[in-house]
Amino acid sequence: MNAAVAIPASPTPSRLPGLLLSVVIALVALGLGKLAPLIGGPVFGIVLGILVRNTLAPGGSYTPGIQFAGKQVLQWSIIALGFGLSLDQVAKTGLESLSVTLVTMTVAFLAAWGLGHLLKVQDKLKILIGVGTAICGGSAIAAVTPIIKPDEHDTAFAISTIFLFNLVAVLLFPLLGHLLHLSDLGFGLWAGTAINDTSSVVAAGYSFSKQAGDYATIVKLTRATLIIPICLILAFATAWKQKKQGATDFSLRRIFPWFILWFLVASGVRTAGLVPVAIQPALHLAAEFLIIVALTAIGLSANLRKMASTGARPILLGLGVWAAVAVSSLLVQLVIGQL
């Protein structure tokens, strides 16, 4: 009787090729972002990733590393951002701007839901565009992606749409601010609540005046902290939906965004003064680079044919939500007398 022959298990595919590809492209994107800060490294990363994916078509050996970078490195980037956000630094300005921030966030989500329904944009893409517009652009989209698990091309489309309107805002907002005769604080509050990405807020704010730039930056940092409760709400909503649908493998522990808790720990370390001033620039650069790597990987996963099949509706949704946020911010300031 022949002895049974053991069949060796298939080796786990290496993540190295995909990770290396993502890192190399991200390094190029980081350099281009320094040369063109109005566009920024994250935009270059996702655009270069999309170009490489749809022209060179990397083979299947790259897929494990690209997926790892687009998910795990994405979470690391959010945690690293916490080391750059001191909660006590933004407390005073945060309370002053909270009413405007909460109204614009509410308007963003309502506009994303209503206009998205009208345009027949699918739910996960509506959430991505709504969150990106309401809170902090690509960083917010990156934070909620591990929770709602959209298709890679939806994430790429949402980020590209958000950054398109960021660029428009940088060029348009200072001109409109002067035409509307906004004060430095009024413009800073408008830019900080109505422009998505931090680099774009800084660029627009300081284009108006130094005081407007300082104020806009702090408002923006405060607004960014609201990604924490939004992520928790989305996590519990996703868990409830799965349970309602009768998922047998449902687990709140598995779906809970634990990286947000580590983000809070990192932010608490910074707030407690335990992060030496000398290494803060290096931590900021590390956080920036990690998110560029992650967004590059998302670009490398994006299929332009699928994005093209989505049509112009997500762009119209992004435009509508962005316009609603910009107008509501000015209206709230007018009502409370802060213009």
Side-chain angles (χ1 to χ4, degrees):
M1 187 174 183
N2 294 333
V5 178
I7 301 175
S10 300
T12 303
S14 173
R15 295 170 176 165
L16 189 58
L19 271 175
L20 282 177
L21 180 62
S22 300
V23 168
V24 169
I25 296 174
L27 285 170
V28 175
L30 179 65
L32 291 173
K34 299 300 181 185
L35 294 175
L38 291 185
I39 300 175
V43 181
F44 280 117
I46 198 163
V47 169
L48 290 175
I50 290 172
L51 289 175
V52 170
R53 164 68 173 80
N54 291 275
T55 55
L56 301 180
S61 62
Y62 292 90
T63 302
I66 290 172
Q67 290 179 342
F68 180 81
K71 294 178 181 178
Q72 190 63 49
V73 175
L74 192 61
Q75 296 183 20
W76 294 346
S77 71
I78 300 303
I79 296 169
L81 287 172
F83 288 108
L85 185 61
S86 176
L87 298 181
D88 58 352
Q89 178 186 6
V90 302
K92 182 177 181 294
T93 300
L95 290 174
E96 292 174 355
S97 63
L98 189 59
S99 59
V100 181
T101 299
L102 291 177
V103 169
T104 55
M105 278 185 58
T106 303
V107 167
F109 288 122
L110 289 176
W113 177 80
L115 188 57
H117 180 73
L118 184 66
L119 293 170
K120 294 181 171 57
V121 176
Q122 57 99 356
D123 288 344
K124 289 184 179 180
L125 187 52
K126 279 191 291 191
I127 292 173
L128 292 175
I129 291 176
V131 166
T133 306
I135 304 176
C136 52
S139 298
I141 292 172
V144 303
T145 293
I147 300 171
I148 66 172
K149 296 181 173 60
D151 291 338
E152 289 87 351
H153 72 276
D154 282 346
T155 305
F157 206 120
I159 292 173
S160 300
T161 300
I162 292 298
F163 279 115
L164 169 64
F165 295 116
N166 273 339
L167 184 58
V168 173
V170 169
L171 301 174
L172 190 60
F173 267 48
L175 175 63
L176 290 177
H178 287 298
L179 288 175
L180 294 171
H181 304 289
L182 298 182
S183 66
D184 290 331
L185 295 185
F187 183 83
L189 185 54
W190 188 38
T193 53
I195 301 177
N196 308 317
D197 185 65
T198 303
S199 61
S200 300
V201 170
V202 170
Y206 285 106
S207 294
F208 191 86
S209 73
K210 183 182 183 303
Q211 189 176 9
D214 290 344
Y215 198 80
T217 301
I218 298 176
V219 170
K220 179 65 187 67
L221 291 175
T222 306
R223 180 177 158 207
T225 64
L226 296 176
I227 191 58
I228 300 167
I230 293 299
C231 281
L232 294 176
I233 290 170
L234 284 174
F236 282 107
T238 302
W240 176 81
K241 185 176 181 181
Q242 287 189 3
K243 187 175 182 180
K244 186 178 179 182
Q245 291 174 344
T248 56
D249 60 346
F250 166 76
S251 169
L252 181 60
R253 185 177 183 276
R254 187 179 71 247
I255 199 172
F256 189 83
W258 296 103
F259 66 95
I260 293 295
L261 293 183
W262 286 110
F263 171 90
L264 283 172
V265 170
S267 185
V269 169
R270 171 66 185 270
T271 304
L274 300 178
V275 180
V277 175
I279 69 169
Q280 288 176 13
L283 288 175
H284 176 76
L285 181 61
E288 180 185 5
F289 184 64
L290 283 175
I291 202 165
I292 292 173
V293 170
L295 296 181
T296 297
I298 289 172
L300 286 167
S301 303
N303 188 319
L304 278 183
R305 289 181 181 177
K306 287 185 178 179
M307 292 175 68
S309 67
T310 309
R313 290 173 297 176
I315 295 177
L316 292 175
L317 173 60
L319 174 62
V321 175
W322 176 63
V325 168
V327 172
S328 65
S329 176
L330 289 175
L331 287 177
V332 175
Q333 289 188 65
L334 184 63
V335 169
I336 64 178
Q338 285 193 231
L339 278 180

